[in-house]
Amino acid sequence: MLTTLYVRDLAVVAEAEITLGAGLTVVTGETGAGKSLLVDALLLLGGARADATLVRSGAERAEVSAEFDLAASPAARAWLHTQALDDDGHCSLRRVLAAAGGSRAWINGRPVALAQLGELAAHLLEIHGQHEHQALLQREQQLALLDAYGAHSVTLLQVRELAQRLRALAHEAATLGDGSERDARLQLLAHQCTELERWALPAERLAALEAEQRRLGHAERLLAGSAALVDQLEGDDGLRNQLARAAAELARLAEIDADLGASRELLDAVLIQLGEAGSALAHYAEARDLDPDRLAEVDAHLQHLHDLARKHRCAPDALPDVLTRLRDEHAHLHDAGARLDALARERDALTRDYDTAAAALGAARQQAAQRLGAEVSALMGTLGMPGGHLQVALEATAPGAADAQGRERCEFLISTNPGQALRPLRRVASGGELARISLALEVSMLGLDDIGCMVFDEVDSGIGGAVAEIVGHKLRALGRVRQVLCVTHLAQVAAQGHAHLRVSKHSDGAATRTQIETLDVEGRRDELARMLGGVSITPETRAHARAMLEQAQAR
């Protein structure tokens, strides 16, 4: 239940804080005073798109916040707990609109996305706008209303899940293809796997093969270079002999002065390493020879690798991964026949389950259609359409694939006068009739959810007189089991409220502001008199207003 609504700098409202209680609260005021701004504020808290023009002229931002009592809202409490936004049963929503554009939202003081704000608000508020009843003209909405009225959510969910699974099976079967396509694909995969098994190499072996190619391609240079180096090191006048003579001379000098011993040791070590280097180079030169056949073999292998890489659109070192993928696909297709048989058996079982669930949903819809038609028809008589009749017609869908909505489509048929033929609602109902039928549906569907606050924004437009009084009675009846907030211009409806808010607009010549006040008994009488009498309010008008109020409050 909505307990407090706070608005600041929204359109012509500078600041207003409204405390709301249970029952029916009516909102009245002169045309253009800003009555629907309260609904706009609640729509913003429901995640509606923000418009920077809603920020009051001269203000940097507009703010809307609300407090809710969740004692009778288990779904809202569960949602807050799931989102880790619960706060010991407390629930506050806040939205700020910047004049420069953009908005921010909070739940229980923590910033949230607008989608989260909308999800929570859907458990707290049910807003019926002035033109919402136009949705009744859509057959999809009519079917949704019927399912909500009949409480078909569990069966409908089962039908949807079964239809989704059947579509998934059909898609998998289609990907497996028919026998000829599968055989052709298997042959291609076998050929590709054979190619890759022959030529593809892991990354380390590919690197070794590329190194071998470089070595074989430069073998002549490597042999000539290593032989020349051996001659430079080991020849008669090579570096090693020169150093040997220098070492001998240093040894003689070290016998004279021991301080040269360290240099002698270093030179001896150099001679040893130089000898080892010369031996290694000589062995390298002797072990290597030109091998054009091996070079051709390595070149051919690498050429195949690069061709395959281009063919499969990958790097050469990724070919082993391609081979793994193709092997998996080959194995999958190889077993496709068995898989198709399994899919057929699973499809048959799911189809039987779907048929059962769809039949159960269809039977439940038939029963709900009869009840809803009878209930709304009875209410139509009290709402100014005596002899009117609503029939909820169900039409079977064409045979074919499993439908997520079941095997029926819905059409609301209406006759607004006795003896008149039933015709589709979308073709014959006027705006006022749609509004009254919408209200009848809302009354019929009361109690099907735990949403604590219902908001009506002038859904009583287009009616008056005795019908308006009956509409007021219905709204007051809703107020006994739900919190109802109703923006109205009808005195007959306003008199039925358990509480009354008046919206008025004031201007000092420089700025215009809207004021929202809670009326006491005398204030309500005066406001009803204004609504009844217009410009001239007579004692008779006041007496009439007092009588209407007393009669309504006595119910």
Side-chain angles (χ1 to χ4, degrees), residues 485-504:
L485 181 65
C486 179
V487 178
T488 181
H489 64 281
L490 297 177
Q492 295 94 326
V493 174
Q496 300 295 327
H498 297 97
H500 194 145
L501 300 176
R502 180 173 62 195
V503 180
S504 55

Side-chain angles (χ1 to χ4, degrees), residues 442-463:
E442 289 152 9
V443 172
S444 299
M445 300 178 69
L446 182 64
L448 298 179
D449 55 44
D450 63 354
I451 296 176
C453 181
M454 303 176 71
V455 182
F456 295 88
D457 184 14
E458 296 192 18
V459 294
D460 52 7
S461 60
I463 60 176

Side-chain angles (χ1 to χ4, degrees), residues 67 79 147 201 227 320-321 364 373 380 399 457 489:
E67 301 280 340
W79 187 92
D147 285 331
L201 294 174
D321 294 333
M380 287 172 63
D457 184 14
H489 64 281

Side-chain angles (χ1 to χ4, degrees), residues 189-202 205 301 305 308 312 319-320 322-324 326-328 330:
L189 288 171
H191 171 71
Q192 291 177 331
C193 288
T194 300
E195 279 187 322
L196 290 170
E197 287 166 355
R198 180 178 180 185
W199 301 112
L201 294 174
R205 288 186 58 193
H301 198 140
L305 281 172
L308 287 172
H312 294 283
L319 288 173
V322 174
L323 175 58
T324 299
L326 294 179
R327 280 173 173 167
D328 290 343
H330 186 276

Side-chain angles (χ1 to χ4, degrees), residues 57 153 202 222 309 334 359 362 375 389 395 397 407 459 502 514 546:
S57 178
S153 58
L222 290 171
H334 188 269
E375 192 167 345
H389 180 63
E395 177 185 351
T397 58
R407 290 189 167 147
V459 294
R502 180 173 62 195
T514 289
R546 182 184 301 107

Side-chain angles (χ1 to χ4, degrees), residues 41-66:
L42 292 174
L43 286 170
L44 288 172
L45 290 176
R49 177 174 295 182
D51 187 345
T53 60
L54 287 174
V55 180
R56 190 169 66 91
S57 178
E60 293 183 359
R61 58 183 177 270
E63 177 181 347
V64 180
S65 62

